[in-house]
Amino acid sequence: MSHPLPATLDAAAFREAVLAGAACLEANADAINALNVFPVPDGDTGLNMTLTLRAATDATPPNAASVGEASAALARGALLGARGNSGVIFSQFLKGLAAALAERSEADGPALAAAFNAAAEAGYQAVGNPVEGTMLTVMRAAGDAALAPDAGDGAADALTAAYAGADLALARTPEQLPVLKEAGVVDAGGQGVVAFLAGMAARAAGEAPDFRVALPEGAAASSGVNVSREFMEHTEEEMYGYCTQFVVQGEGLDPDALRERVMAVAASTVVIGDDRVVRVHAHAEDPGPLLSLGAAAGALSRVDIVNMDAQHQDFMARHGYEGAAAPSLRERAPFAVVPVAPSDGLARIFRSLGAAAVVSGGQTMNPTAAAIIAAVEEANADRAVVLPNNKNVILAAEQAAGLSDLSIAVVPSATIPQGVAAMLAVNPDLDAEGNAAAMAAAMGSVRSGEVTTAVRSAVVDGAAVAEGQAIALLDGALAAAAATPNAALAAMLEAAGAGGGALVTLYYGAGLAESDARQAAAELSAGIPGIEVEIYDGGQPHYHYLVSIE
Amino acid sequence: MAVKVVTDSTSDIPSELAAELGVAVVPATVIFGEESFKDGVEISREEFYRRLTTGKTTPTTTQPSVGDFLEVYKPLIEEGHEIVSVHVSGKLSGTVNSARLAAAELPGAAVEIVDTELASAGTTLAAKAAAEAARDGADAASAAQEARAAAANTEVKFTLDTLEYLRRGGRIGGAQALVGSILSMKPVLKLENGEVHTHEKVRSRGKAVARMKEIASEGAPYEEIAMMHSSSEEEAAAMAAHLAQLTDKVVLTVRIGASIGAHTGPGALGFALRRKGG
């Protein structure tokens, strides 16, 4: 496809290799999404890593004076733009990489090998409790392989060795993590690392990027396409023009070529897919040319155009702002709580409990560290506690706390019910540390349930689940599968042993009507004597019910 | 000459106890639209709650007037008594002001005014302490001191079925923040510095009652306990049985009357815990 890169990379060649890695990761994002252990619609590892790397490459100038300067910009962009746990860990890799390359104007094979080792080391350090069989293992294998004596001295040698080592380690991840083996998949984050390295290695050698992720049995890439509208609405900080999304279907589609054309007329582009289905997301002043590009390539479907200017004004109005200077109207408080919530309904509930600002995001739209910092700034308090309310947001919240000059503590709530319980423990008489401790303790007072629809057939925790079935998870483990959400909910509460005196709070999702939730509450009340059931409009995407049991 | 204790109807002091200790009760007034009633005199508890839950008009309350106090104070002074007048928190009601103004109308008379910074069962415990001191021969100043010490050593905690009455009546104080909650709340409330505050946010009645029992147990044993309620007999009996284990004295049970009930609504349950050494 193009000439090989020199054996010693200067800043421009280094950037080119990284861009090629990013493009390869992006081309495989859908397939990586499908490598999800649980058949729940939160398989966004591919997207999270893609968007993290996109933020990183966008921050890297084409004219950097040295590899050190380019890699520092890359790492900074990744840190601020990291989404989801996989993205955060990836950003830590880049941070370690940049630290190792900091003093270098150019990088040859041994320099890159050392940098990959430093990257792996930084990743391990960033994770409180490193687990083998994950992207950490894969990254370390990449570093080890690149350092091997027979790897060669050129940049392409190191990258090729790193890719090969990573790919071998990836294949072994199911042996290291039983959940992967049971689900019949390799680790998704590790797969992302492999795709990135594959792209870099191919570019360095001047080869065509023909790398394709192998899909697990029974998982179609399309089932992993979870680029929900809500996700994309929150994907970018830019809030002007039209957010335009559509799907192109056809034969022999070329996502890379389409991406090039879309990028020429729009900003914030994400183009992912394969030769049959391509999904396009972009922001443009005029959505017309975008649609024409899509229609020229294949058949358009699921066209969604949102006026972000109007959206922005709605947001301002809803939050009581009348002008751009309005955020400063909030009086500075000594202490504030800033939760993350995936829908307007849940955001309203948190605000009604005293949240000073709410970060949009959650399960299928992990917010960036930068978005979390922005919300803490909006809260205008001396000290802030962030409630991630999702296990895949905790690392980004911690990253935000580390990056910001503001005083931010993270109370690691993994679910919305835990976040609500923590919120209720806030005591204005306590200082920030006292509140953080009380909030963390209160999280343990609730059990968390989720009812969703299986996005593929799978064996989970020894039980077979069919695609399309309603499934219920209790504290993160599969508790029930049934034909309807209400049946799965009832079976889960039975599994939870919820009896008399228990308070069950149902936050029903965007896909259910209030009458469905009322019926569920009535059935539960009738079935379990002495139980109290409350229903609230959560409006969250994908999840029929979020359930708090206390 | 003796010391006589006076309180007001927001103490909810049981009539048998008032009679036994010779405590005079000055009634507040409860107003339903065009009709007004002297609390405990012109309207019974049963009738009040019936009107509260089924009537269309929301009741309001007014403190006893200076004249109402003078009607009680004057005959006692003329009989040669000293007076200790023990009342609801001045931050919740103007009652203690009326009492002070009434005392000022009686120059030379020995009238000690006590702002308990409490209400209901809490005020009852303070009035009882003063009356028992007086019975044992204390003068007005010492009996008043007993009441103040008892009040300072007493904590009042309670839970409500709804915050709506507290909000409408303007007595919600530090618990105001809970009113905006979309999630239903059954908080444990407390009186602190004479005002209502949130002690703990709790989501259900069952949990609030269970938590109240735990809170009571934490500081046991107590010098004395009075329980107050406008809730079901069953719930009140269970709480009384729990509280009975936490003190050597008999637990007083106080039924919340109209002047407090107008601000708590039906379904209030709480207690006043008097710590030892006060």
Side-chain angles (χ1 to χ4, degrees), chain A residues 26 93 295 402 494 529 538:
Chain A
E26 187 162 343
F93 289 159
E494 196 181 327

Side-chain angles (χ1 to χ4, degrees), chain A residues 339-341 350 387-391 393 411-416 418-420:
Chain A
V340 179
F350 276 112
L387 291 170
N389 295 335
N390 187 291
K391 65 183 187 323
V393 179
V411 171
S413 55
T415 64
I416 291 287
Q418 284 185 355
V420 169

Side-chain angles (χ1 to χ4, degrees), chain B residues 127-140:
Chain B
K128 180 168 178 276
E132 285 169 347
R135 189 183 58 194
D136 296 344
D139 61 12

Side-chain angles (χ1 to χ4, degrees), chain A residues 160-517:
Chain A
T160 303
Y163 160 49
D167 204 31
L168 268 177
L170 177 70
R172 285 198 294 268
T173 56
E175 304 305 321
Q176 291 168 302
L177 269 184
V179 288
L180 297 176
K181 186 165 196 173
E182 194 176 37
V185 295
V186 294
D187 181 68
Q191 181 71 77
V193 170
V194 168
F196 176 65
L197 293 173
M200 284 186 91
R203 179 65 196 85
E207 292 164 5
D210 59 352
F211 177 83
R212 281 289 175 265
V213 166
L215 283 173
E217 259 181 63
S222 58
S223 73
V225 179
N226 289 309
V227 193
S228 67
R229 189 170 62 82
E230 292 89 343
F231 177 80
M232 283 309 182
E233 276 174 12
H234 297 285
T235 302
E236 300 300 334
E237 324 306 341
E238 268 177 67
M239 294 287 279
Y240 305 98
Y242 293 89
C243 174
T244 308
Q245 295 178 69
F246 52 87
V247 171
V248 185
Q249 284 171 294
E251 299 283 327
L253 299 178
D254 184 349
D256 296 332
L258 186 58
R259 185 180 310 114
E260 293 285 322
R261 278 179 238 130
V262 168
M263 281 172 77
V265 296
S268 301
T269 55
V270 176
V271 177
I272 54 179
D274 53 30
D275 57 350
R276 291 172 296 111
V277 181
V278 177
R279 178 173 287 266
V280 176
H281 161 273
H283 294 176
E285 290 295 334
D286 179 357
L290 280 175
L291 295 175
S292 301
L293 280 175
L300 291 188
S301 63
R302 293 162 79 177
V303 176
D304 185 17
I305 300 172
V306 176
N307 181 339
M308 290 182 295
D309 295 343
Q311 214 173 37
H312 187 64
Q313 284 153 14
D314 273 2
F315 176 86
M316 298 297 270
R318 259 207 319 278
H319 293 79
Y321 300 148
E322 289 183 351
S328 62
L329 290 177
R330 178 186 280 280
E331 223 172 277
R332 190 154 185 90
F335 175 72
V337 182
V338 178
V340 179
S343 63
D344 287 348
L346 291 168
R348 268 197 297 278
I349 286 171
F350 276 112
R351 283 182 188 275
S352 85
L353 294 173
V358 180
V359 185
S360 292
Q363 192 82 346
T364 56
M365 38 181 166
N366 304 143
T368 61
I372 292 168
I373 291 170
V376 170
E377 280 167 358
E378 182 196 333
N380 193 27
D382 296 332
R383 315 289 304 274
V385 164
V386 172
L387 291 170
N389 295 335
N390 187 291
K391 65 183 187 323
N392 208 25
V393 179
I394 293 171
L395 283 182
E398 285 169 352
Q399 188 131 301
L403 284 169
S404 173
D405 296 334
L406 304 166
S407 169
I408 303 175
V410 177
V411 171
S413 55
T415 64
I416 291 287
Q418 284 185 355
V420 169
M423 199 82 219
L424 293 180
V426 172
N427 179 344
D429 297 341
L430 296 178
D431 62 10
E433 285 76 21
N435 267 315
M439 292 168 78
M443 288 186 333
S445 66
V446 293
R447 302 191 73 185
S448 304
E450 300 162 324
V451 179
T452 186
T453 300
V455 295
R456 63 175 163 86
S457 299
V459 175
V460 183
D461 299 335
V465 170
E467 183 180 344
Q469 252 191 327
I471 54 173
L473 297 136
L474 178 64
D475 294 326
L478 184 74
T484 67
N486 283 6
L489 172 68
M492 180 194 73
L493 287 171
E494 196 181 327
L503 172 66
V504 173
T505 308
L506 303 177
Y507 304 95
Y508 60 93
L512 287 185
E514 187 182 345
S515 56
D516 297 323

